[in-house]
Amino acid sequence: MFENIGGFIIDLDGGFFKDFHILPGGKDFIETLKSNNIPFVFLSNLTTKTPDELHEILFRVGVYIEKDQIITSSVLARDYLKENFPSSSVKVYGSKALKSVIYQEYKIGVVDADIIVIGMDPKISIDDLSNIRRHIHEGKKVIFTNPDYYTPTLRGYDFECGLMVELFKPHLREEPIIIGKPSKYSFETAIKKLNVPREYIAMIGDTYETDIKGAHDFGLIPIHLQTASDDSYNTLKLDAYEYKNLEDLCIAFKSYV
């Protein structure tokens, strides 16, 4: 398997760290890739931290990468908007980090926006939910950051944006636009960044529904890490190369390179 790999797309939240604590083997794996000049990017559905914040977190624990090697669904949402709706106005419901990324390019404080961007925010209010429902009733275009129902933490799982998708999907007039993995836009962005033929790219992640499904859908080599705390997190089962964690994967990869 390793002889066919020329680049890696790596999931961050759940595969590489939990609650921003690096999981076993993470640092060693990145150093192995760097020392062998193997290109890689992180592709994450996380929206609660900006790429700058994630870069700083990784830097503090000795994982030295470039900022543009971190692709989050916040960045994907911003770039998708710029490419497809450059002159539209945008209203964001989500975390402080999501708002920071989107409002780098779009005016903040627009009341009657053309497009609504929705991500998970632990502090979202009933008023926010009511306003989103009103925007949908008015026919506004809606973009969701990611389809995950849960995000892994050291204490278990927290709710994620997929629950917002399920809440509002019955009220939408068209199929929702969901930017994060396993969307075509997310994987095509990462593949383009690596500049490696897709059949030589491996996707490493802990979630069948997003990481491994995306690998299957877009012709990548699927590598599943068994770092999920319980089976309810992975309801979809797909063929993949299986490893307990990045530490085991790194040991196997080192024996090849």
Side-chain angles (χ1 to χ4, degrees):
M1 181 258 296
F2 293 126
E3 66 272 14
N4 295 321
I5 298 177
F8 287 90
I9 300 173
I10 307 168
D11 174 46
L12 262 178
D13 204 13
F16 194 80
F17 59 45
K18 285 187 180 180
D19 279 353
F20 311 110
H21 293 80
I22 304 298
L23 294 173
K27 180 179 177 181
D28 194 17
F29 184 67
I30 295 303
E31 288 303 314
T32 301
L33 297 183
K34 290 168 63 178
S35 64
N36 287 278
N37 296 313
I38 298 172
F40 65 92
V41 294
F42 287 106
L43 181 62
S44 174
N45 282 352
L46 188 70
T47 61
T48 55
K49 297 289 183 185
T50 67
D52 285 348
E53 290 171 330
L54 291 171
H55 183 264
E56 176 63 23
I57 289 169
L58 294 174
F59 182 85
R60 287 202 302 264
V61 296
V63 178
Y64 305 122
I65 63 171
E66 300 298 324
K67 289 182 182 180
D68 64 359
Q69 289 178 280
I70 301 172
I71 305 170
T72 68
S73 56
S74 299
V75 171
L76 291 168
R78 180 197 65 199
D79 292 348
Y80 180 86
L81 286 166
K82 286 168 59 180
E83 292 172 17
N84 294 277
F85 308 101
S87 59
S88 297
S89 56
V90 177
K91 171 74 173 177
V92 179
Y93 291 91
S95 68
K96 180 180 178 181
L98 174 62
K99 292 175 181 176
S100 173
V101 171
I102 299 295
Y103 290 143
Q104 287 175 355
E105 300 292 337
Y106 289 87
K107 183 179 179 181
I108 192 171
V110 176
V111 176
D112 189 27
D114 303 315
I115 300 172
I116 307 303
V117 176
I118 301 173
M120 179 49 72
D121 180 1
K123 298 181 180 179
I124 196 165
S125 67
I126 294 298
D127 283 345
D128 288 333
L129 297 176
S130 297
N131 286 334
I132 292 171
R133 175 66 184 89
R134 177 174 55 80
H135 294 315
I136 292 173
H137 181 72
E138 293 170 350
K140 306 295 186 183
K141 184 172 289 292
V142 177
I143 295 175
F144 295 93
T145 56
N146 57 294
D148 309 74
Y149 289 165
Y150 311 102
T151 187
T153 69
L154 292 175
R155 63 183 178 273
Y157 296 96
D158 289 344
F159 290 141
E160 250 293 352
C161 186
L163 297 178
M164 302 283 278
V165 177
E166 293 302 318
L167 177 63
F168 292 112
K169 188 175 181 179
H171 305 286
L172 296 173
R173 301 179 184 180
E174 57 187 18
E175 279 297 305
I177 299 172
I178 305 175
I179 293 297
K181 296 176 295 182
S183 75
K184 180 179 180 180
Y185 187 78
S186 64
F187 275 91
E188 292 295 346
T189 298
I191 291 167
K192 183 178 180 181
K193 187 74 176 176
L194 286 176
N195 195 29
V196 173
R198 67 185 63 220
E199 61 268 27
Y200 299 114
I201 297 174
M203 173 70 220
I204 302 173
D206 68 319
T207 311
Y208 289 106
E209 286 85 349
T210 55
D211 304 315
I212 305 307
K213 185 178 187 303
H216 278 269
D217 287 349
F218 303 107
L220 312 183
I221 299 167
I223 299 177
H224 179 249
L225 302 179
Q226 299 165 356
T227 51
S229 299
D230 62 71
D231 289 338
S232 64
Y233 184 51
N234 280 306
T235 57
L236 179 69
K237 299 296 182 182
L238 296 168
D239 290 336
Y241 294 97
E242 296 282 346
Y243 290 89
K244 182 179 178 181
N245 52 31
L246 268 177
E247 187 172 36
D248 282 3
L249 174 60
C250 188
I251 291 170
F253 188 63
K254 277 184 171 182
S255 69
Y256 169 74
V257 297

